[in-house]
Amino acid sequence: MRNLVEFIDKYCHWMLFVVLEVVSMVLLFRYNNYQGSAWLSSANIVSGSLMNVSSKVYSYFHLAQLNTELTQHNLQLEEQIRQLSAQLKSVRNDSTQNIVMEKLRDYDLIPAKVVDNSVNRYDNYITIDKGSADGVRKDMGVACGTGIVGVVYLVTQHYSVIVPVLHSQSNISCSLQGSEYFGYLHWRGLPVDIAYVDDVPRHANLKLHEKVVTSGYSSVFPAGLLVGEVINIFNSPDGLSYRLQVRLSTDFSRLRDVCVINDTAALERMKAYQAAIDSLKPKE
């Protein structure tokens, strides 16, 4: 207590000065409009600056929490995008599958499962679990829900080997959808989703992203089965025709279910053609 009294006695003049200054400032800013408005404006600027600094400091110390929340939000958005992409792909696949199945509606189909498949060789083969006991014969066409697969090459009683589009010897007659221009589909190695249609006439009216389908000019595939879409147009090496780069509609790396096309009308045509050839052979 004594120290307090000594302190007040020692600095009483300064204390009185401070009190009088405060009182005078209050009287000045309270009862004078100009000084009052200047005080409020200055006070607002100072308080706004302090609040801005406080907000930045608060944000800085909460960056870790904000980053965590942003990461979680991004993961949620990525999952939604993945789900929407899967739904869109499913709708497209279902639509394509319906179109392919509609084209095969008038044919006898032999459903089969792929039991062996290769895609990374120059000459690939596919083995299915159906054979001669199920009605499968050599040179039958094979398709799936998204397009053509290949041609039956070898048949045993319960299994068959297919030469797919992804084979150097594959040679399938194709045409542009809605036109009479046709050529022959060949695969030239990786990548597995790209093939080429050769010998398309120079006078053909070609457009990118046109659909390529089977022409129906062979006894293997009926006309109109989806093959893929045109993504590039080149001149042939001899300059006399076009070469089309085609993105295949069938995903051979994920191939599981296929159907063998039992075209009895095509078989009759082949027998008649062979009979005509045999009848024209000179007799010994």
Side-chain angles (χ1 to χ4, degrees), residues 138-200:
K138 188 178 184 297
D139 295 327
M140 279 185 168
V142 182
C144 66
T146 55
I148 65 171
V149 174
V151 181
V152 176
Y153 171 68
L154 183 65
V155 181
T156 64
Q157 186 174 4
H158 299 293
Y159 295 94
S160 298
V161 176
I162 300 167
V163 172
V165 172
L166 307 186
H167 192 285
S168 63
Q169 299 302 314
S170 177
N171 187 32
I172 299 173
S173 178
C174 299
S175 64
L176 298 174
Q177 191 175 48
S179 76
E180 296 180 354
Y181 302 116
F182 71 96
Y184 293 91
L185 184 72
H186 300 99
W187 185 65
R188 303 184 182 280
L190 297 175
V192 298
D193 62 336
I194 301 296
Y196 296 87
V197 175
D198 294 316
D199 302 327
V200 179

Side-chain angles (χ1 to χ4, degrees), residues 259-278:
C259 58
V260 182
I261 305 170
N262 185 12
D263 188 353
T264 54
L267 180 61
E268 290 180 7
R269 291 197 302 269
M270 290 179 62
K271 288 182 178 179
Y273 179 74
Q274 188 62 43
I277 292 177
D278 293 340

